[in-house]
Amino acid sequence: WLSNHGFNVLTAILSNYATTSLQQVECHVNFEQLATKAMAGQVVAQRMADLSALAQVDPYRAATHNKGIMNGIDAVMIASGNDWRAIEAGAHAYAVKDSSYRGLSTWRVVDDQLVGQLTLPLPVGVVGGSIGLNPLTRANYAISGIKTAEELAAVTASVGLAQNLAALRA
């Protein structure tokens, strides 16, 4: 049909850069939960926020920052039977959406808390393809209680942000 109306169709593919499937999560961590034996929680929080700010301007830091996020996300994608490589590709494309590679998450100090936020494309599914073929994947869904793609996306993004929190604190 398109060829008959003056369009030259080169290909018809789905893109892994699914900006209509953005998932956003946020967490708030009280300073006392970040304290170590050697450092007050407020100091830890400020250092984590500073590292996050660095990941917004330095692509070398951003690559490590995002790799940590994706460590958690990839594990959820593999366990859920989703294509973790497609999610990786979309996430890294999203990280460079403003023509500079940046950290996918941001952390800032607000009052007496460290506040983290993560936004990325997560076009995930809970049915179809190879998802139902693997007995371990079916078991993972039964254990997690996840029933919808929306639930899976929320859990996945939350795991990515939690992984980032742990890496920054370490």
Side-chain angles (χ1 to χ4, degrees):
W1 181 88
L2 291 174
S3 296
N4 294 335
H5 289 87
F7 294 96
N8 181 14
V9 178
L10 178 61
T11 187
I13 61 168
L14 294 174
S15 175
N16 292 319
Y17 188 39
T19 57
T20 59
S21 297
L22 293 180
Q23 181 68 42
Q24 184 174 49
V25 292
E26 183 174 291
C27 77
H28 298 250
V29 183
N30 292 327
F31 288 159
E32 61 265 13
Q33 295 173 305
L34 298 170
T36 68
K37 290 180 182 179
M39 200 175 303
Q42 184 173 5
V43 174
V44 174
Q46 189 58 59
R47 287 182 171 198
M48 292 171 70
D50 291 345
L51 272 174
S52 174
L54 183 59
Q56 296 304 309
V57 296
D58 179 10
Y60 291 91
R61 176 63 204 147
T64 302
H65 187 90
N66 292 342
K67 185 247 183 208
I69 292 167
M70 298 313 295
N71 281 344
I73 289 174
D74 290 349
V76 176
M77 291 297 91
I78 292 167
S80 68
N82 279 266
D83 185 351
W84 64 272
R85 297 153 310 175
I87 299 301
E88 280 267 358
H92 292 295
Y94 190 74
V96 75
K97 71 183 183 315
D98 297 321
S99 300
S100 181
Y101 190 78
R102 300 177 190 277
L104 289 165
S105 70
T106 57
W107 295 89
R108 63 192 192 289
V109 172
V110 178
D111 299 324
D112 62 344
Q113 296 183 322
L114 179 67
V115 178
Q117 188 175 50
L118 171 64
T119 303
L120 76 162
L122 281 171
V124 298
V126 296
V127 295
S130 62
I131 291 173
L133 299 178
N134 185 329
L136 291 176
T137 300
R138 288 194 307 268
N140 291 337
Y141 279 106
I143 291 167
S144 70
I146 292 171
K147 303 268 189 259
T148 67
E150 292 80 12
E151 290 173 333
L152 179 58
V155 167
T156 301
S158 297
V159 169
L161 189 59
Q163 179 74 27
N164 187 226
L165 172 68
L168 288 172
R169 187 173 181 277

